[in-house]
């Protein structure tokens, strides 16, 4: 169980094989400055405030299923396999859920057990949710990563070589880390040597966790890079900008770093490593970066316009608390020239057309395209009906501000209700579908995001307590559907980063492997007083808009841990090698510096 010490894991180590690019040995010989460091980020659990579970009721040969899930369309099919019934006999519906973050896709054994209990009781509804201890022990976690990193650079700050040995665990299968992404974001480095080992332990397994493995990659990379900058006696921001050309999107990251620096007042508060001001409280700034895909998933939507003017938009998606309902309503309402409250959105029910699960930041792209296409198709049918009535070609009509009118000519119009009344007793019902390849070609969706987080912390060197002053996040995600809800996603991501950087950690008995803190008393999460001020800037530009919609849920959750860890190192003059940055770890790092 000594997952932090690779020499003690024995046969549970599963090396992945060395990856080499360029000539790292020669690059280290030629490097004018080298830096070596060790870094660790522990297993953290999903800790959804609503635990995993469901209500199931067996009704004859049918099963009514109300799960807390991120995948309404598919989860019933998976349950059908577990309880050995045809998938079409399971009706799944879910209106709301209390957090998932990647862990709530399968029905799991507790779903099957609830179904069997209902069947055995003669069809009574059974509500089965995990208790907190079980939830934190087996319901999913984010794998740990431990690393030994050596880097080299020229005196002017140009990084020339990266070498890392990493190991990780998320449970019995180990930790699946894509080390080819090292150094994270700064990935076009010519010379690198990468070794990774998955460590298997008898513990709850990993599940996708808001940008799987990216927070760990960002933490190790940005920590090692800021340590190299400190070795060079170079400002961290200047160092990141110096090496911006080896990032995946140089101009975007350059602009985002400069914007974040402006927002956090880098020129005013930045200093080289170690705050030399008097007194025990030291202040520091740090940087973290992120990237993600976010291409919209497959989705189908049905839109119905009724003769009384009411509109139904139905698709079997789900709302994880991210305002998916609102986004669907916004797209439909804008297409029809209506207000949001004139559109009724139906989601979370397998009676509706199928839509993908909410994972990989794929929902917003999928549901907005299918909704847009369905509403455009339905509106086209309405225009065809109205064209002879209004004496205007169908392609010469538009829906604006609750009216159907000749394009650019409000004097030749009728109200939405008047227009719909022309349908008589028949409704118009049309489908729309997001097909990834087609939607990308049409410029509706895309993938590939960039973002920067910067943290401003104060550290009491007498007590080891880290205080968040501010966190700044600059994030692009293509075309933003709703800036307010987009900002909300980034706020939530930053809060989760504060939790992971300062207090979250699964603690296990080194002998028995038992989880020692499976509760809300000793598995710590941040409160409102722990997170400081969070300032979000959505990187909205015409160039980003032109790319189409890209998912946002995951990327801003990536760089915050790195930024906070780097800010602490900047404040106290020494790296705290492992997060969370608890007082004892901060004091231990300070003690080592004094001894050294």
């Amino acid at each position: 169980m000594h997952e932090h010490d690779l020499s003690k894991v024995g046969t549970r180590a599963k090396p992945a094989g060395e990856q080499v690019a360029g000539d790292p040995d020669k690059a280290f010989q030629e490097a004018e400055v080298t830096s070596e460091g060790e870094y660790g980020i522990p297993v953290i659990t999903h800790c959804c405030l609503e635990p995993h579970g469901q209500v199931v009721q067996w009704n004859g040969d049918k099963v009514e299923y109300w799960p807390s899930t991120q995948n309404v369309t598919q989860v019933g099919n998976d349950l059908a396999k577990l309880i050995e019934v045809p998938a079409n006999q399971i009706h799944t519906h879910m209106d709301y859920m209390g957090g998932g973050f990647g862990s709530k896709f399968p029905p799991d054994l507790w779903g099957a057990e609830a179904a069997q209990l209902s069947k055995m009781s003669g069809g009574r509804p059974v509500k089965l949710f995990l208790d907190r201890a079980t939830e934190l022990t087996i319901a999913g976690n984010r794998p740990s990563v431990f690393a030994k990193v050596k880097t080299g650079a020229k005196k002017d700050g140009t990084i020339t070589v990266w070498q890392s040995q990493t190991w990780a665990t998320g449970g019995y299968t180990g930790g699946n880390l894509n080390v080819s992404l090292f150094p994270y974001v700064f990935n076009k480095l010519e010379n690198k040597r990468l070794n990774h080992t998955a460590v298997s332990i008898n513990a709850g397994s990993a599940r996708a966790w808001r940008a799987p493995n990216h927070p760990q990659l960002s933490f190790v990379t940005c920590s090692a890079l800021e340590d190299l900058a400190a070795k060079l006696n170079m400002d961290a921001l200047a160092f990141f900008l110096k090496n911006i050309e080896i990032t995946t999107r140089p101009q975007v990251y350059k602009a985002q770093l400069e914007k974040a620096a402006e927002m956090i007042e880098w020129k005013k508060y930045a200093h080289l490593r170690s705050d030399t001001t008097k007194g025990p409280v030291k202040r520091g700034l740090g940087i973290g970066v992120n990237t993600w895909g976010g291409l919209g998933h497959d989705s189908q939507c049905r839109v119905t316009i009724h003769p009384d003017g009411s509109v139904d938009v139905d698709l079997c998606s789900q709302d994880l608390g991210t305002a998916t309902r609102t986004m669907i309503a916004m797209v439909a309402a804008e297409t029809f020239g209506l207000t949001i409250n004139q559109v009724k959105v139906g989601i979370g029910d397998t009676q509706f057309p199928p839509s993908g699960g909410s994972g990989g930041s794929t929902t917003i792209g999928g549901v907005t395209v299918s909704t847009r296409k369905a509403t455009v198709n339905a509106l086209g049918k309405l225009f065809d009906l109205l064209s002879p009535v209004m004496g205007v070609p169908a392609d010469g009509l538009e829906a604006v501000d609750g009216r159907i009118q000749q394009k650019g000519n409000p004097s030749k119009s009728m109200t939405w209700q008047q227009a719909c009344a022309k349908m008589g007793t028949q409704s118009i019902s049309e489908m729309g579908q997001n097909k990834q390849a087609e939607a990308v070609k049409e410029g509706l969706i895309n993938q590939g995001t960039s973002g920067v987080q910067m943290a401003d912390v104060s550290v009491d060197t007498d007590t080891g307590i880290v205080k968040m002053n501010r966190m700044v996040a600059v994030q692009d995600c293509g075309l933003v559907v709703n800036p307010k809800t987009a900002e909300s996603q980034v706020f939530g991501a930053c809060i989760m980063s504060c939790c992971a950087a300062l207090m979250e950690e699964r603690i296990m008995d080194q002998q028995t492997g038992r989880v020692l803190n499976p509760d809300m008393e000793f598995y710590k999460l941040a409160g409102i007083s722990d997170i400081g001020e969070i300032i979000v800037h959505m990187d909205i530009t015409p160039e980003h808009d032109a790319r189409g919609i890209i998912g946002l849920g995951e990327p801003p959750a990536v760089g915050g841990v790195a930024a906070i860890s780097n800010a602490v190192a900047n404040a106290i003059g020494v790296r705290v090698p492992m997060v969370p940055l608890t007082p004892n770890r901060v004091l231990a790092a300070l003690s080592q510096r004094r001894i050294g």
Side-chain angles (χ1 to χ4, degrees):
M1 242 317 294
H2 298 269
E3 58 175 295
H4 61 283
D5 187 344
L6 189 58
S7 67
K8 295 182 179 180
V9 302
T11 58
R12 291 184 174 274
K14 300 176 182 177
E18 186 169 82
Q19 299 179 37
V20 178
D23 191 340
D25 291 332
K26 182 180 178 183
F28 275 119
Q29 290 173 1
E30 297 176 350
E32 295 173 315
V33 176
T34 60
S35 173
E36 295 185 57
E38 296 188 12
Y39 313 95
I41 184 166
V43 170
I44 67 173
T45 77
H46 266 276
C47 208
C48 306
L49 295 188
E50 176 197 45
H52 287 64
Q54 66 287 300
V55 174
V56 186
Q57 182 173 21
W58 209 293
N59 184 13
D61 60 352
K62 304 286 187 180
V63 178
E64 297 293 331
Y65 184 32
W66 296 269
S68 179
T69 185
Q70 296 176 236
N71 194 359
V72 175
T73 292
Q74 180 61 34
V75 71
N77 297 337
D78 294 337
L79 178 66
K81 296 174 185 176
L82 291 177
I83 62 176
E84 298 180 340
V85 301
N88 61 8
Q89 291 180 198
I90 297 182
H91 175 211
T92 306
H93 31 153
M94 184 201 74
D95 289 318
Y96 305 99
M97 67 177 301
F101 316 114
S103 69
K104 290 183 177 178
F105 283 91
D108 289 301
L109 291 177
W110 42 87
E113 291 298 323
Q116 295 295 0
L117 287 170
S118 176
K119 184 177 183 180
M120 292 165 62
S121 68
R124 293 184 179 182
V126 171
K127 179 180 180 181
L128 196 163
F129 280 77
L130 301 187
D131 60 26
R132 184 56 57 183
T134 308
E135 175 78 9
L136 266 66
T137 302
I138 66 169
N141 62 64
R142 186 181 78 184
S144 61
V145 171
F146 299 88
K148 294 180 179 179
V149 181
K150 183 179 180 181
T151 53
K154 298 177 181 178
K155 285 183 180 178
D156 68 358
T158 303
I159 183 172
T160 57
V161 59
W162 170 283
Q163 177 177 291
S164 58
Q165 179 189 18
T166 53
W167 59 100
T169 186
Y172 183 74
T173 58
N176 181 24
L177 188 71
N178 185 0
V179 293
S180 63
L181 294 177
F182 277 132
Y184 184 69
V185 171
F186 294 84
N187 195 242
K188 294 182 179 179
L189 187 65
E190 291 185 6
N191 303 298
K192 48 188 174 181
R193 176 181 290 112
L194 312 171
N195 282 279
H196 180 69
T197 300
V199 178
S200 170
I201 64 172
N202 294 323
S205 62
R207 294 190 177 189
W209 191 101
R210 207 164 178 178
N213 291 310
H214 281 232
Q216 303 95 308
L217 289 160
S218 182
F219 165 72
V220 171
T221 297
C222 294
S223 297
L225 293 185
E226 285 219 14
D227 285 351
L228 180 57
K231 193 76 176 289
L232 287 157
N233 207 34
M234 187 174 181
D235 174 79
L237 176 61
F239 177 82
F240 275 63
L241 290 170
K242 175 74 176 178
N243 293 284
I244 205 73
E245 290 302 321
I246 63 170
T247 67
T248 48
R249 301 171 73 198
Q251 295 309 308
V252 174
Y253 281 112
K254 181 177 185 293
Q256 291 181 342
L257 283 165
E258 290 172 346
K259 180 62 178 179
E262 172 194 325
M263 294 165 65
I264 210 164
E265 301 172 283
W266 189 275
K267 289 182 180 179
K268 179 178 180 180
Y269 293 108
H271 54 78
L272 296 179
R273 186 165 289 188
S274 188
D275 184 350
T276 58
T277 57
K278 294 181 179 179
V281 178
K282 308 298 183 182
R283 189 170 185 174
L285 302 180
I287 302 171
V289 295
N290 74 60
T291 185
W292 191 251
L295 184 65
H297 58 44
D298 291 343
S299 175
Q300 296 181 40
C301 176
R302 180 177 64 243
V303 170
T304 305
I305 305 173
H306 298 286
D308 65 353
S310 61
V311 175
D312 293 327
V313 181
D314 299 319
L315 67 163
C316 188
S317 185
Q318 49 281 315
D319 193 332
L320 278 59
T322 56
T324 300
R325 275 187 184 83
T326 304
M327 301 303 98
I328 293 168
M330 283 181 61
V331 171
E334 184 169 319
T335 305
F336 290 137
L338 303 174
T339 60
I340 288 179
N341 59 9
Q342 290 177 281
V343 176
K344 181 182 177 184
V345 175
I347 63 173
D349 196 308
T350 48
Q351 295 182 84
F352 300 145
S355 194
S358 291
S361 302
T362 59
T363 304
I364 187 66
V367 301
T368 52
V369 170
S370 64
T371 299
R372 174 68 173 169
K373 289 195 169 186
T375 50
V376 167
N377 291 340
L379 188 61
K381 286 294 180 70
L382 182 60
F383 287 166
D384 289 341
L385 177 69
L386 296 174
S387 176
V389 177
M390 298 181 68
V392 178
D395 61 4
L397 294 172
E398 63 181 350
V400 180
D401 296 330
R403 305 183 71 82
I404 304 296
Q405 64 183 37
Q406 185 180 34
K407 286 182 178 178
N409 183 13
S411 64
K412 195 163 190 177
S413 67
M414 63 177 66
T415 67
W416 175 261
Q417 279 73 22
Q418 289 171 336
C420 293
K422 301 296 183 182
M423 294 160 52
T425 60
Q426 298 296 313
S427 296
I428 292 174
S429 186
E430 289 292 315
M431 296 291 295
Q433 185 172 1
N434 179 46
K435 295 181 180 179
Q436 287 182 337
E438 292 179 8
V440 170
K441 289 179 182 178
E442 294 165 345
L444 297 174
I445 59 174
N446 212 310
Q447 63 182 330
T449 63
S450 300
V452 170
Q453 281 84 30
M454 290 188 181
D456 172 0
V457 307
S458 293
V459 185
D460 189 323
T461 56
D462 286 343
T463 64
I465 293 174
V466 178
K467 177 187 176 186
M468 290 297 305
N469 298 319
R470 295 174 297 165
M471 178 175 280
V472 163
V474 178
Q475 186 67 50
D476 85 283
C477 61
L479 178 66
V480 177
V481 179
N482 183 327
K484 183 60 65 177
T485 55
E487 285 180 4
S488 181
Q489 281 291 292
V490 184
F491 279 123
C494 290
I495 292 168
M496 294 180 86
S497 294
C498 291
C499 292
L502 299 180
M503 53 197 67
E504 272 195 272
E505 179 178 12
R506 186 188 71 183
I507 299 172
M508 300 185 72
D509 184 278
Q510 295 294 302
Q511 301 302 317
T512 67
R514 181 178 179 181
V515 179
L516 299 178
N517 62 334
D519 52 58
M520 300 302 290
E521 181 178 7
F522 295 107
Y523 187 92
K524 298 291 187 180
L525 297 177
I528 193 68
S529 62
D530 298 311
I531 60 174
E533 182 184 11
I534 298 173
I535 309 166
V536 174
H537 174 76
M538 297 307 302
D539 187 9
I540 298 173
T541 67
E543 293 79 11
H544 293 328
D545 288 350
R547 299 182 69 210
I549 293 170
I550 306 173
L552 177 64
E554 278 150 302
V558 171
V561 175
I564 295 168
S565 179
N566 282 332
V568 169
N570 180 246
I572 66 176
V574 63
R575 170 67 58 186
V576 181
M578 184 167 174
V579 295
L581 303 161
T582 54
N584 63 322
R585 288 192 175 125
V586 172
L587 293 174
L590 285 167
S591 176
Q592 288 297 315
R593 184 187 69 175
R594 289 166 187 146
I595 292 171

